[in-house]
Amino acid sequence: MVLFTILVSTSTQAQDKWDTAITEVLPETLKKHREFVTLPNVSANPQDMKKNFDWARRAFEQRGFTVQMLASSSIPVLFAERAAKKKNAKTVLFYLHIDGQPANANSWDQDHSRINS
């Protein structure tokens, strides 16, 4: 019973730390998310994509990443890397797809009445 009490207490303390950390960073995180998703991202418009790449480049650089823009036959590719300080650390790869396609309003079925039936 003592072990259970210790585990529950430790778990509660850990959760409280997570809750506090999340509460502290959530407003800025939501602000950054809103800032990013409001950028136009239609891949057929190079000026829009440049805004997306510039935003992402700054965001990665602010977090200590080395960033390169790699040329391609269409839209350039953004490559961001941050080496681990710990030797023999595992490699983690994230893929971020930031270009979109324009929506054809005539192709969208916005009739929500069928959802509840």
Side-chain angles (χ1 to χ4, degrees):
M1 185 53 106
V2 172
L3 179 57
F4 177 74
T5 303
I6 291 171
L7 289 175
V8 169
S9 175
T10 303
S11 176
T12 302
Q13 290 171 355
Q15 183 63 47
D16 288 344
K17 288 180 182 179
W18 275 106
D19 289 346
T20 300
I22 290 169
T23 300
E24 289 174 3
V25 300
L26 186 59
E28 184 63 22
T29 300
L30 291 175
K31 179 182 170 189
K32 290 288 185 189
H33 179 262
R34 181 176 289 119
E35 182 182 302
F36 181 63
V37 298
T38 58
L39 291 172
N41 69 347
V42 176
S43 60
N45 187 333
Q47 294 81 16
D48 287 349
M49 294 314 304
K50 173 96 170 73
K51 292 175 188 175
N52 280 265
F53 284 128
D54 289 344
W55 189 97
R57 179 188 44 78
R58 282 190 305 275
F60 278 111
E61 287 174 342
Q62 290 169 354
R63 288 161 181 81
F65 284 77
T66 302
V67 180
Q68 295 178 346
M69 193 75 75
L70 307 175
S72 76
S73 61
S74 58
I75 299 172
V77 175
L78 180 68
F79 180 80
E81 177 183 35
R82 186 170 73 181
K85 295 175 184 172
K86 181 180 170 186
K87 280 191 164 209
N88 300 322
K90 299 286 184 183
T91 299
V92 179
L93 173 67
F94 293 96
Y95 171 78
L96 175 64
H97 185 84
I98 62 174
D99 66 317
Q101 297 297 317
N104 178 347
N106 296 327
S107 298
W108 286 82
D109 181 2
Q110 298 296 318
D111 182 7
H112 296 290
S113 63
R114 293 185 300 158
I115 296 172
N116 296 323
S117 42

